[in-house]
C-alpha cells in the first residue's frame, strides 16, 4: 500500500502575529519546534521511503525534527509556499489597504483572488505553483515505482502549497483548494487506490503525541479523523 503524508510546518512568529510569509525565510518559534518534536514521537513507528521538504527554514526545521535522524530529508524549491508578492511580511489585517493602492481591494474583498486564481503584484499565481508541484509528484511516483509492494512518502511544506497539492492529488478544480485548511504541524494522509488517491484523514493534530494517535498513525485507515482536534 502506498501512502503519502502531507505535513505543514510548525508555528512561526509570523504565524502567531498574523503576517503573510510566502517566500520569506522565517524560522520556527518555540511552539513550532515543540510541535515538530511531538510529531516525531507520534510518527516514530512509521518508516518513510521518501521525505521531501520545502527548502524554506520553517519547513526544513519541521522536517528535520520530525524524522529525528531516521531519514534523509530532500530539500526542494518546488515545495515552497506561493510567493505573495507585495503582501509578504504584511499583516493580514492590512492586506486590503495595501491592495487598494493597486486597484485590487474589491477583488480581494469579494474573494475573486481565490476563485479566479489571480496573481498578486510581484507574486505567483496558483497555476504557477501547481506547475512546479508536478515535479514533486513525479518524485513520489518514482518512489512508488521503485517499490511496488508499498511505500510511505512524506512532504513537508506550507498551507497554501499543500492546499494546491491536495486538489492535484484528488483531481479537483484548482479553485477548490480553499476547502482544504492546514494548521501548523497538522498531518493529512493519502492512500493510493488504483490510479488515484484517497484521503484517509485531513488536518489531523498529532502534536499531542498520545498513545492513541501514535497507534492510529500505523493503521491502514485513521478512524474518526473528522473529529480529531485541530492545531
Amino acid at each position: 500500500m502506498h501512502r503519502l503524508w502531507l505535513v505543514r510546518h510548525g508555528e512561526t512568529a509570523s504565524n502567531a502575529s498574523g503576517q503573510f510569509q510566502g517566500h520569506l525565510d522565517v524560522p520556527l518559534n518555540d511552539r513550532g519546534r515543540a510541535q515538530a518534536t511531538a510529531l516525531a514521537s507520534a510518527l516514530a513507528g512509521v518508516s518513510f521511503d521518501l521525505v521531501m521538504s520545502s527548502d524554506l527554514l520553517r519547513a526544513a526545521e519541521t522536517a528535520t525534527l520530525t524524522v529525528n535522524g531516521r531519514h534523509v530529508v530532500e530539500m526542494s524549491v518546488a515545495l515552497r509556499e506561493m510567493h505573495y508578492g507585495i503582501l509578504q511580511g504584511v499583516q493580514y489585517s492590512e492586506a486590503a489597504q495595501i491592495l487598494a493602492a493597486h486597484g485590487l481591494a474589491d477583488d480581494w474583498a469579494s474573494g475573486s483572488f481565490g476563485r479566479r486564481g489571480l496573481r498578486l503584484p510581484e507574486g505567483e499565481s496558483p497555476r504557477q505553483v501547481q506547475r512546479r508541484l508536478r515535479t514533486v509528484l513525479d518524485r513520489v511516483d518514482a518512489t512508488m515505482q521503485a517499490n511496488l509492494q508499498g511505500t510511505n512518502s512524506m512532504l513537508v511544506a506550507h498551507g497554501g502549497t499543500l492546499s494546491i497539492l491536495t486538489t492535484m492529488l484528488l483531481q479537483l478544480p484548482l479553485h477548490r483548494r480553499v476547502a482544504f485548511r492546514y494548521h501548523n504541524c497538522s498531518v493529512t494522509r493519502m492512500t493510493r487506490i488504483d490510479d488515484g488517491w484517497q484521503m484517509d484523514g485531513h488536518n489531523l493534530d498529532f502534536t499531542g503525541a498520545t498513545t492513541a494517535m501514535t497507534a492510529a498513525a500505523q493503521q491502514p485507515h485513521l478512524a474518526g479523523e473528522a473529529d480529531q482536534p485541530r492545531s
Side-chain angles (χ1 to χ4, degrees):
M1 184 174 293
H2 300 289
R3 299 195 184 103
L4 180 59
W5 305 70
L6 307 179
V7 178
R8 187 188 175 196
H9 63 81
E11 187 181 274
T12 69
S14 296
N15 291 144
S17 63
Q19 289 181 324
F20 290 94
Q21 293 178 107
H23 282 203
L24 297 182
D25 212 6
V26 182
L28 298 177
N29 61 14
D30 289 343
R31 184 167 188 262
R33 285 186 286 274
Q35 289 171 333
T37 300
L39 183 58
S41 297
L43 300 184
V46 182
S47 180
F48 290 96
D49 304 275
L50 172 69
V51 180
M52 292 183 70
S53 172
S54 160
D55 67 333
L56 294 175
L57 187 56
R58 57 194 184 273
E61 281 187 309
T62 300
T64 300
L65 289 169
T66 298
V67 302
N68 195 26
R70 297 189 299 125
H71 305 288
V72 174
V73 180
E74 297 183 19
M75 300 300 172
S76 173
V77 174
L79 279 169
R80 285 187 176 189
E81 179 61 287
M82 184 164 63
H83 196 300
Y84 287 109
I86 60 172
L87 291 186
Q88 290 193 162
V90 171
Q91 295 291 131
Y92 299 152
S93 59
E94 298 174 357
Q97 180 182 348
I98 298 293
L99 292 173
H102 296 264
L104 298 171
D106 290 343
D107 284 328
W108 183 260
S110 68
S112 288
F113 269 91
R115 291 193 303 273
R116 296 164 55 195
L118 301 179
R119 182 181 69 85
L120 288 162
E122 303 175 23
E124 274 184 300
S125 71
R127 287 283 177 205
Q128 289 174 304
V129 177
Q130 186 183 60
R131 285 195 289 271
R132 58 176 160 90
L133 286 174
R134 295 194 188 282
T135 63
V136 175
L137 294 184
D138 288 343
R139 182 72 179 89
V140 172
D141 286 342
T143 300
M144 292 191 300
Q145 290 300 318
N147 187 350
L148 296 177
Q149 292 185 339
T151 54
N152 280 293
S153 298
M154 179 190 293
L155 304 179
V156 183
H158 311 266
T161 306
L162 292 174
S163 66
I164 293 171
L165 188 61
T166 302
T167 64
M168 297 169 70
L169 291 165
L170 299 179
Q171 301 179 39
L172 296 172
L174 185 55
H175 71 267
R176 293 289 303 279
R177 69 190 185 280
V178 297
F180 301 102
R181 300 289 299 276
Y182 283 83
H183 292 104
N184 288 122
C185 231
S186 67
V187 177
T188 291
R189 199 184 73 184
M190 305 276 192
T191 297
R192 186 75 172 181
I193 304 294
D194 298 324
D195 293 328
W197 291 94
Q198 170 184 292
M199 181 181 284
D200 298 329
H202 173 58
N203 201 27
L204 306 179
D205 180 2
F206 278 61
T207 59
T210 64
T211 301
M213 285 186 175
T214 302
Q218 301 173 49
Q219 299 302 315
H221 299 283
L222 301 178
E225 58 267 13
D227 298 321
Q228 295 288 347
R230 298 184 176 185
S231 60

